[in-house]
Amino acid sequence: MTMSDRARSNKRADILLIEDNPGDIRLTQEAFNESRIANTLHVVNDGIEALDFMNKRNGYEDAPRPDLILLDLNLPRKNGNEFLEELYETAPHLASIPVIVLTSSQAEEDIVKSYELRANAYMTKPVDPSEFIATIQTFEDFWLEVVRLPPARDDHE
């Protein structure tokens, strides 16, 4: 066990998955369950529910502040781009949470728009289930083992 492994084992990573496709949710859960990194995956199904989670309202009053957000773009009620716009307008104190877009879209305009709205990375979902799981595990290794994430700030700063 490396020093990084020991440091990570003391704190579980809270990851918010914003996804409406049950198959992709299941594959993501499977990938994280196979991981050696302790984490808790929280799942919401659309941008409105995600904003409620992030702002601790409408049944999410006890929701933890996520360490990372995995965001699909094609969501019902409020899509991924609308979620990003509103999140940073209404809760600028949450802007330090890395947002990784994980979507089926390969459209250049979606990539550009996501980065304009402050996404930290843009990943295209592989169609093959084993490739999808490998992609999630690579994401997890990078974002939870290699990258140093900012410490959580008070929710009202």
Side-chain angles (χ1 to χ4, degrees), residues 89-145:
E89 285 175 10
T90 62
H93 62 280
L94 299 174
S96 65
I97 299 171
V99 176
I100 294 81
V101 172
L102 180 63
T103 189
S104 56
S105 174
Q106 296 182 30
E108 188 173 311
E109 59 268 20
D110 287 341
I111 297 168
V112 170
K113 183 72 170 173
S114 293
Y115 282 112
E116 286 174 349
L117 292 172
R118 297 191 223 161
N120 298 87
Y122 190 101
M123 297 169 44
T124 303
K125 294 177 191 173
V127 176
D128 178 79
S130 60
E131 288 179 27
F132 185 95
I133 290 172
T135 297
I136 294 296
Q137 290 174 334
T138 300
F139 148 83
E140 184 180 36
D141 287 343
F142 179 74
W143 284 98
L144 298 178
E145 283 290 319

Side-chain angles (χ1 to χ4, degrees), residues 5-132:
D5 289 336
R6 280 194 295 277
R8 293 276 179 215
S9 66
N10 292 335
K11 182 196 180 292
R12 297 183 70 81
D14 282 299
I15 301 165
L16 177 60
L17 173 62
I18 308 169
E19 173 64 68
D20 66 319
N21 181 309
D24 290 348
I25 293 169
R26 185 185 51 76
L27 286 172
T28 304
Q29 289 169 327
E30 187 177 319
F32 281 116
N33 287 339
E34 292 177 10
S35 172
R36 69 186 187 285
I37 301 167
N39 63 70
T40 302
L41 187 65
H42 308 273
V43 180
V44 295
N45 299 121
D46 62 51
I48 291 173
E49 198 177 344
L51 287 167
D52 286 343
F53 185 99
M54 297 300 297
N55 289 297
K56 299 178 181 274
R57 63 184 185 219
N58 297 328
Y60 291 103
E61 287 77 10
D62 295 327
R65 179 188 190 276
D67 297 299
L68 288 167
I69 298 170
L70 272 175
L71 174 66
D72 185 23
L73 289 182
N74 304 312
L75 299 167
R77 300 198 305 160
K78 188 176 289 286
N79 71 34
N81 288 334
E82 293 167 333
F83 163 78
L84 284 172
E85 276 185 63
E86 192 166 328
L87 176 67
Y88 295 131
E89 285 175 10
T90 62
H93 62 280
L94 299 174
S96 65
I97 299 171
V99 176
I100 294 81
V101 172
L102 180 63
T103 189
S104 56
S105 174
Q106 296 182 30
E108 188 173 311
E109 59 268 20
D110 287 341
I111 297 168
V112 170
K113 183 72 170 173
S114 293
Y115 282 112
E116 286 174 349
L117 292 172
R118 297 191 223 161
N120 298 87
Y122 190 101
M123 297 169 44
T124 303
K125 294 177 191 173
V127 176
D128 178 79
S130 60
E131 288 179 27
F132 185 95

